[in-house]
Amino acid sequence: GFFQGVQFRHPDMAFSMDFPAGWKTGNQKSQVVGVSGDESAAVILTLASVQTSPSDAMTAFLRQDGVTGGDARSVPVNGLPARETLFEAQTDDGIFRGRVLFIDHGGTIIRILGYSSASRWPDHEASVVNAARSFRRETDSAVLDVQPARLEIVRLRSRMTFSEFN
């Protein structure tokens, strides 16, 4: 996938999502991350480790040590089935609060996790919710047709300058 401004677009998996304006973003091998400008909150998109249903993924998430959650509820996200809950996590660094959303995107369960310290959660909750609920199917054919850039590795027979190579 790739970013266009705050929008993350994934041609192969045919989805897109908007991250909060002003947040630093990154596309890593196993996750897409957004971090608030003051680094006090994050939104992380990954594939769920339990890929059977949003309900099963939610159950597994809430069974983690130190994690407690409110009542998980069904919340369709742009026509896709999903489950969502607020949670609190006790860590060595203190108490964190956040929201987790599991979306069934064509049989693939996507996890969108947003969190901050308990004291800063009220400052970031709306941004996290808006980002998570912006997840949608990608339908733009110009995006769906994007192909990754490919490199061709050439072994040189001898030393040469770049000009000589060209």
Side-chain angles (χ1 to χ4, degrees):
F2 58 93
F3 277 95
Q4 285 183 322
V6 298
Q7 189 175 63
F8 179 75
R9 304 179 100 168
H10 201 294
D12 292 340
M13 294 184 71
F15 72 81
S16 62
M17 178 179 154
D18 301 331
F19 282 77
W23 286 34
K24 299 173 217 159
T25 55
N27 180 16
Q28 302 168 0
K29 185 175 181 175
S30 62
Q31 62 185 9
V32 180
V33 180
V35 178
S36 64
D38 64 0
E39 299 184 356
S40 64
V43 173
I44 303 168
L45 181 149
T46 60
L47 298 179
S49 58
V50 176
Q51 298 204 14
T52 54
S53 72
S55 294
D56 289 345
M58 182 67 73
T59 299
F61 177 81
L62 293 173
R63 284 189 180 151
Q64 296 177 96
D65 288 341
V67 175
T68 56
D71 291 331
R73 59 191 179 114
S74 293
V75 287
V77 175
N78 295 308
L80 300 168
R83 300 272 299 164
E84 174 184 66
T85 194
L86 291 169
F87 70 90
E88 191 168 282
Q90 178 69 50
T91 71
D92 293 340
D93 295 325
I95 298 173
F96 288 84
R97 289 204 178 116
R99 185 177 297 266
V100 64
L101 178 68
F102 292 96
I103 302 170
D104 185 341
H105 178 56
T108 299
I109 308 302
I110 305 288
R111 181 182 82 171
I112 302 172
L113 176 75
Y115 66 93
S116 72
S117 66
S119 64
R120 295 295 308 273
W121 178 244
D123 301 333
H124 297 292
E125 184 173 13
S127 294
V128 168
V129 170
N130 290 338
R133 292 193 181 165
S134 75
F135 186 94
R136 62 202 169 274
R137 289 180 185 97
E138 180 62 68
T139 58
D140 184 340
S141 61
V143 171
L144 296 172
D145 292 340
V146 168
Q147 295 296 312
R150 303 221 185 263
L151 296 176
E152 180 180 349
I153 298 174
V154 177
R155 184 170 288 260
L156 301 177
R157 286 179 256 131
S158 63
R159 295 185 120 189
M160 62 180 68
T161 67
F162 188 68
S163 294
E164 291 170 334
F165 175 76
N166 276 332

